[in-house]
Amino acid sequence: MIVNEKFFEEEVESELQLLGWEKLTDKSFHRNDYSQVINFKALNESIQKINNVSEDKAELVIREINKNIDSWENLNIKGMEILNNGIRIYDEIQERNLTIKLISENVDENIFSYYRQFEITDGYNKKRIPDIVLFVNGLPIAVLELKQPLANENIEDAFKQNESLKHFKPELWYFNVINFLSNRTSTKYGSTTAGLKHFYGWNNWNLGKDENPVTKLFNHKNLIDIIFNFSFYSDDQNPVKYLAAPHQIRAVNKTIEHLKEVKDNRGGIIWHTQGSGKSVTMVFLTRYIIKVFGTATVLLVTDRKDLDQQLYKRFLNAETFLRNKAKSISSRAELVSELNDKKHFGIYFTTVQKFVEETGVLTNRDDVFILVDEAHRSQNNINGERVMSKEQEEFIVKFGYAKYMREAFPNAKITGFTGTPLMGEEKDTRNVFGDYIDTYPMNQAVEDGATVPIYYEMWKPNLILDKKYLDEMDKIQKEYKETLDPNDIGSEQKIETLLKAVNKSIIFEDEQIIAAKADKMVEHLNKRKDILNGKAMIVANSRNAAYKYYLNIVSKYPEYKNKTILVMTESNKDSAEMASSIVNRNDMNKVASEFRKPESKYKIAIVVDMWLTGFDVPDLDVMYVDKIIKWHNLMQAIARVNRTYEDKITKKTKEAGLIVDFVGIWKYISDALIQYANGSSTKIDVQIDDIEKAKEKLNELFDIVNDHYVNNIRSFPTLNSKKQYEFVIDAYDKLLNIELFSVHEKNKFIKLARKAKRFYKISYTSITEDELLISKCIETINSLITSSSIQNDNNLTWTIESIKEAIKNAVNTADTSVVIDESTMTKDINKVATVLTSEAEKLFKSKPRVAATLYANAIKMEIDEISKIKPYFAKLVSDKLKDIISELESSREIEEIIELLIILSKEIKEEKNKPLEFEDIELQIFYDILSNDQFLQYNKNSETLRAIAQDLREVVRENNSDQYLYENRIKSKITTELKKLLKTKYQYPPDGLYNLSESLIKEVTNNIKANKKAFRKDD
């Protein structure tokens, strides 16, 4: 087992060499200085070879590349466009434009090289050294950040390092395609712009068949394939970069190979679980079909208008990547007109209902490819079934859509997509499409991090109702509860009989029962509102039940009156009051878009059937189910909560989705699981754990922590607040002692603590007060350890935040009158720093290592405070603090460390007492940056510097909006205007423009995060 980062780098280097990558050194990487990250000599030679042009023409191309100076985001958008479309230059001899490619799709025409420990500078005196950078034809295509193979947490550290590297050297990300992170135990990769939650990867290094993550991604053929066929920017106003996950690449490649060989035109079935990017897989497959089969026509078929529009919009936003503009067919007549034996090559969208009857043969072409979404729902009954016709008063044979579609395109190849596996009775679907081409079940998606796990909780409200109602409800709940035993299959018939005998509407629409359930839902949601964004969906049994839920919530809970929406079909029989409560169909898309936003004003959506399939809300935390749903509909409904989510600003991530069952759908989940595995050796797909299992796992972790790391932790709830505080500090002190706990053991504790946090968040509404306190104790100790680690950067929560969590929301030590509560924590940083310093002095003799850490965290608080007015000074002292913390991590004699901390604290206090140039904080921030800029230092304390600060602030205000944090174009516009002002009005040297503008923008962003009205003009 490789346990050293250096050895791991060597292993990766060896794998690259076996794949044919050439090693680069200072001698072979031609650059003027360490600020240059493109090997222009190699690029020049490659351009000449690939395009058969002269060296002069290649130099023209390189000059075009060097013209672009921008943020890393905008550079990467431009770089991807260049890689795919080339650069156009004018050939004066031939008197025509030439399109020059930088990388060839012919693998053998490219040069593949890597640089280990690639030293780069920011053009001044700062440097960074990425572990390994991969170059194709001299262009940096991938950045590999590798970590010591010990703890999974190192992946997060690697991600943060590469994030900061983007701002340090934007040019390194100009042509980047893959951001690669690994500690060998876990490997992740993502697009240049992706948050860590949207990275893909593997939890094993050995992937079988002598493959590992390096050979999977960086085999020359695979990498070129990824560059040209599996990565693209959308055409949205705010472009999103897509990079295919392993299951998407696998599915597309297997399908293409199958389509090349298939004789009966059955293109197979792709079953990829809900939430794993099925629609994007269809985009990738369409691109490949058009590329491989030339003048192909691709017809995409859905079974619902809303799904058709969603998928159609996805394809419209991929027009540049597909090199085709998709067209939506609105009628059967248009379908016949567009495709009736004409050579209309392109991409078309239609719904399956247009094949409700015979159309005749529309085309005999064999280069038509039909991709059917949700194939299980519509592609049955190909041979017909006998049904009674009331009009004809006889049995007739009725056929399904599949028969008429096949007759319309007899030579077309047809491939089906489904988010849920085919049930046992859906054999006709296999007759249409053939067998599975690729499967990606829910358990695999969860393991890979493509989706989050789903947890299940059952609630039975304590109702004081008529005995008749209670008896009927008890029967349903009791029988369903018994079916939680997956071995109890024999009760199936009995339960079905019971359901048929019960008048469900009595229970599902009874006003008292709905009122009681609504109360429980709101109480439950309020407990969870801080876990994510407090967003829920209520699934009601009928329109009447949904309306009653809506009335209960908006009338009894004023805080949710304007945050609750009723989403269902309208009826001309609705009362005026009911009609006005339902979201108007004309506003549906607007309301849906709003509900999807993380910062949405809506928190509860009450639905019946709408939004249960094909509607993604990544931050949806919980679904309350009060409706019997079966089979595919059930699986698709509960998958609404399995999407991954990471808040771009707060970095809060979604750990799991929660289903709260008010009627007993577990029986149907069990049925579906049985059907999924019916007649095959396929493993059961769905992993939905009862929330009680999360609670059991949490208690198992308590035992492990108690036995190996923190003795007597189960006694923690019985201690008074002073003893609890001492308990936490004592446990922390022991874990810091490297003689008792090695780095490896400490990392194991960190992993256990993070698991405990996840399980307590999942089971939050069912655990006891004691279990909650023990969980928070472990979380606090973990936060204390990670906050003091040199591996973490300035954005991590420091000690004081952890202490806040220690005993629910407060830590009290009566003897020293130390009280740290919510208001102290969030409103008075100076007071908190004073408290920490006081505690450090108290612990100096008994626990000096903890005392040093508290001193460090007190200083960090002071730095955070002064950074709001003097960011340049804050950066200097922050770097000093990092160096001291590094010493603290490795030193056993810490008196000198504490002395250094005291000196640093004194330096910060002296700086805080100096008078400010401006009372206006925005101007003061800009003035501080400008007065420490190397090109403007000679203006220090001058009116010129004050004028520049005022001009720059005005530029920001003129171009700012309330969408600054969410739309990169606003930030880019402001950056451009700042550069323009500095260059034209103040003759600022071009070489320093990027660094200065980035420093200014960084502080603007920090201030807007803290106050959304910052840098805004008065309304």
Side-chain angles (χ1 to χ4, degrees), residues 744-784:
H744 179 59
E745 283 298 318
K746 191 167 68 173
N747 282 331
K748 283 170 68 176
F749 171 79
I750 291 170
K751 293 175 76 174
L752 287 169
R754 294 195 177 186
K755 282 184 181 178
K757 182 178 180 180
R758 185 162 70 89
F759 285 130
Y760 107 71
K761 284 173 71 175
I762 291 166
S763 58
Y764 185 77
T765 48
S766 67
I767 61 178
T768 65
E769 189 75 13
D770 284 359
E771 289 166 334
L772 176 63
L773 285 172
I774 295 169
S775 298
K776 293 208 167 188
C777 174
I778 295 172
E779 182 183 349
T780 302
I781 297 166
N782 178 47
S783 296
L784 286 162

Side-chain angles (χ1 to χ4, degrees), residues 960-978:
N960 194 12
S961 85
D962 59 358
Q963 294 300 302
Y964 177 92
L965 294 174
Y966 311 107
E967 296 188 14
N968 282 329
R969 64 181 180 82
I970 298 173
K971 197 180 296 184
S972 297
K973 169 74 172 170
I974 293 173
T975 304
T976 301
E977 293 301 318
L978 289 174

Side-chain angles (χ1 to χ4, degrees), residues 817-855:
S817 300
V818 177
V819 180
I820 302 177
D821 58 19
E822 190 71 26
S823 61
T824 307
M825 194 66 58
T826 57
K827 295 180 181 177
D828 192 350
I829 297 297
N830 292 319
K831 185 177 178 183
V832 173
T834 302
V835 169
L836 284 175
T837 303
S838 172
E839 284 301 289
E841 290 169 355
K842 175 186 170 186
L843 295 167
F844 180 81
K845 291 183 178 179
S846 62
K847 294 180 176 61
R849 193 170 293 278
V850 173
T853 303
L854 291 178
Y855 273 128

Side-chain angles (χ1 to χ4, degrees), residues 189-203:
Y189 75 93
S191 75
T192 317
T193 61
L196 184 57
K197 198 71 177 177
H198 293 101
F199 271 50
Y200 319 114
W202 304 270
N203 290 320

Side-chain angles (χ1 to χ4, degrees), residues 919-937:
E919 290 185 10
D920 186 308
I921 296 300
E922 293 174 3
L923 290 174
Q924 175 60 39
I925 291 168
F926 277 13
Y927 183 86
D928 184 72
I929 294 170
L930 296 171
S931 63
N932 288 286
D933 180 80
Q934 63 172 325
F935 292 108
L936 296 172
Q937 283 178 343

Side-chain angles (χ1 to χ4, degrees), residues 574-628:
D574 293 339
S575 66
E577 293 81 3
M578 184 173 178
S580 65
S581 301
I582 301 169
V583 174
N584 188 284
R585 70 178 67 182
N586 296 325
D587 297 328
M588 191 61 73
N589 288 337
K590 181 180 176 182
V591 171
S593 296
E594 174 63 31
F595 191 61
R596 287 189 181 101
K597 293 178 182 176
E599 71 281 8
S600 174
K601 60 185 177 183
Y602 303 128
K603 297 300 178 185
I604 300 174
I606 303 171
V607 306
V608 180
D609 294 309
M610 296 178 72
W611 288 10
L612 290 183
T613 59
F615 181 68
D616 290 348
V617 183
D619 68 331
L620 185 66
D621 176 45
V622 57
M623 175 182 279
Y624 300 105
V625 181
D626 194 28
K627 175 181 182 176
I628 294 177

